[in-house]
Amino acid sequence: MPRVLIVEDDEAMAVALKDGFVYEGYDVSVAMDGAEGLRLAEEGDQDLIILDVMLPKMSGLDVCKRIRRNG
C-alpha cells in the first residue's frame, strides 16, 4: 500500500487531506510540526510527502532541505 506523510499544522486541513488519501487507499501518517515531520520522514519509507511551508518548530523549507540532504 502506498504511504503518504502529511506535514500540516492546520488540523482541519490535515484531517481533510488524510481522509481523502485514506479513501483512495493510501496508508497516511500526519505530523503537526516540522520537527515531527522530519522525524517521521527519516524513519519511514514514504512514497509522497505533502509539506506545508509555514510550520511550527521548523519551516517546511528547512524540513525539505534536510530530507534532501540526508538522501
Side-chain angles (χ1 to χ4, degrees), residues 20-71:
F21 279 102
V22 168
Y23 179 80
E24 294 295 331
Y26 292 86
D27 179 24
V28 180
S29 300
V30 176
M32 300 301 287
D33 62 62
E36 181 183 6
L38 180 60
R39 182 185 61 78
L40 291 173
E42 289 179 336
E43 68 184 31
D45 185 26
Q46 286 78 26
D47 297 296
L48 174 68
I49 299 174
I50 297 178
L51 185 59
D52 188 8
V53 174
M54 296 178 65
L55 294 165
K57 297 187 181 177
M58 178 184 290
S59 79
L61 294 174
D62 289 336
V63 172
C64 185
K65 288 176 188 175
R66 295 269 302 268
I67 291 170
R68 292 186 75 154
R69 182 177 28 188
N70 297 338

Side-chain angles (χ1 to χ4, degrees), residues 6 8-19 30 50 52:
I6 298 169
E8 170 62 65
D9 62 326
D10 181 311
E11 188 173 348
M13 179 63 76
V15 168
L17 288 167
K18 180 179 180 178
D19 288 349
V30 176
I50 297 178
D52 188 8

